[in-house]
Amino acid sequence: MNTRYNPAGGRTAVLCGLGTWLPPGVVTNDDLAQQLNTSDEWIRVRTGIRQRHIADPSMATSDLAVEAAARALQSAGTSSVDAVILATTTPDHTCPATAPLVASRLGLAAAAAFDVAAVCTGFLYALAAATGLISAGLAHSALVIGAETYSAILDPEDRSTRAIFGDGAGAVVLRAGAAGEDGALGPFDLGSDGSSADLIMVPSGGSRQPFSPRAPQTSDPYFRMQGTAVFRAAAEAMASSARTVLDQTGWPDSQPDLLVAHQANLRIVNAVADRLRLPRERCAVNIDRVGNTAGASIPLALAHAVDAGQLRPGTRVLLTAFGGGLTWGSCALRWPRITPG
């Protein structure tokens, strides 16, 4: 059973700031073709990706998160929040969580801070968690960050993953407000299916299979994904979750003005739009420029949609994502009047 939340009235979370950051290093498809058995055409036809941003090896996920978060705080016109939630699959360390370090570097050392691990659905799960804290009165404001350095966990010889994933970070600031305001988050729909956890996985490094340098042949520290099965599952789960949310919005024709789906693959984004009977031109698309940035995907796509003129105050926006776990989720909002950082 999916978890659903519909703020019919009263206190809820309102989006009031947006910030993003991409590392300056860019790797094009032609660059990859010089290293792997692939080509620009092979990658573009299968994924829609032309290039991706890759962090310098000296940079960690916290570095990207701090850059995006600082811009989000500036966008919101504030220097403090009550909670910091970081969605990431690539934390600085297995222990401790990365969010407290990010909060400290931002001068938010007293704020509650924790990580969310839901892979590519992580940002939506983090949005829901922050909305819960604000709705319950446990926080008046929150900073939600999606940040990834997937380049650190990709097999250098695996063209199927290196062609897809990129690094980046995006963040939003939420404040307490009323459900009817522009920027108010909800309805939400969240779900999972752990029986298919092996479709998206880093096999080694956890308690199930600790990495052993003495027996590297039995350890696999790299991100693995069963692409064909994931494609089918992602398109169906995102479309179903999105429809659940749309049915609760009360919008005319239960349709959004803009679909901001997790940028996993252009064909997946198009498949979700087709299942929702939504014109493809109503989809935010930036995967061609940044690749799949996992937990950072949705805030980065939001910022690009603002730059492209697709998001204006009052625009009806549907967010939806799918990731490892398996996990999925969706959320609706009307876009507020903000200037991204």
Side-chain angles (χ1 to χ4, degrees):
M1 179 180 292
N2 289 10
T3 300
R4 300 170 186 173
Y5 167 72
N6 190 343
R11 177 187 174 110
T12 191
V14 176
L15 192 153
C16 62
L18 170 65
T20 60
W21 194 77
L22 290 164
V26 173
V27 175
T28 67
N29 293 347
D30 289 333
D31 293 332
L32 285 180
Q34 296 178 26
Q35 305 170 30
L36 301 167
N37 179 25
T38 189
S39 68
D40 173 62
E41 181 181 13
W42 188 91
I43 297 171
R44 280 189 296 105
V45 169
R46 287 163 177 78
T47 68
I49 298 169
R50 293 187 289 108
Q51 65 177 39
R52 69 288 298 145
H53 289 252
I54 300 297
D56 184 272
S58 64
M59 299 193 75
T61 293
S62 62
D63 299 318
L64 279 64
V66 167
E67 293 284 355
R71 288 161 171 77
L73 291 167
Q74 182 182 33
S75 170
T78 186
S79 60
S80 65
V81 293
D82 300 321
V84 177
I85 307 176
L86 172 62
T88 187
T89 319
T90 57
D92 286 14
H93 306 282
T94 304
C95 176
T98 304
L101 172 61
V102 172
S104 177
R105 289 178 58 185
L106 291 167
L108 304 171
F114 59 93
D115 290 1
V116 170
V119 196
C120 300
T121 320
F123 186 77
L124 275 173
Y125 268 59
L127 279 183
T131 298
L133 291 175
I134 290 172
S135 297
L138 295 174
H140 295 285
S141 58
L143 175 63
V144 177
I145 311 165
E148 304 284 10
T149 50
Y150 254 68
S151 57
I153 62 171
L154 299 181
D155 183 345
E157 304 300 321
D158 184 0
R159 70 172 181 174
S160 66
T161 56
R162 284 195 63 195
I164 293 174
F165 289 92
D167 303 333
V172 297
V173 176
L174 309 180
R175 62 167 175 80
E181 293 184 59
D182 282 355
L185 297 176
F188 278 93
D189 175 76
L190 304 174
S192 73
D193 177 10
S195 67
S196 297
D198 61 331
L199 295 184
I200 301 172
M201 177 179 287
V202 177
S204 298
S207 61
R208 177 64 63 190
Q209 189 182 116
F211 178 74
S212 173
R214 297 180 181 178
Q217 68 278 6
T218 63
S219 299
D220 184 356
Y222 295 120
F223 177 89
R224 304 296 182 189
M225 182 172 64
Q226 299 179 37
T228 301
V230 169
F231 183 101
R232 290 194 297 264
E236 185 57 38
M238 281 197 284
S240 176
S241 178
R243 177 51 61 195
T244 296
V245 165
L246 288 171
D247 286 346
Q248 300 176 65
T249 59
W251 291 345
D253 302 321
S254 295
Q255 290 286 32
D257 298 318
L258 188 68
L259 172 67
V260 183
H262 164 52
Q263 304 289 294
N265 181 305
L266 182 57
R267 292 190 299 162
I268 293 178
V269 174
N270 288 338
V272 173
D274 292 347
R275 283 170 166 79
L276 295 175
R277 297 182 180 178
L278 189 70
R280 292 182 179 181
E281 57 268 25
R282 289 200 203 173
C283 297
V285 174
N286 71 339
I287 190 171
D288 56 321
R289 288 160 281 173
V290 300
N292 181 341
T293 55
S297 172
I298 283 182
L300 283 169
L302 286 170
H304 280 113
V306 172
D307 290 342
Q310 293 177 293
L311 280 177
R312 300 179 179 86
T315 299
R316 298 171 302 183
V317 188
L318 175 66
L319 313 178
T320 188
F322 176 90
L326 299 173
T327 57
W328 56 83
S330 299
C331 173
L333 75 153
R334 289 183 183 270
W335 193 247
R337 186 176 298 278
I338 59 173
T339 301

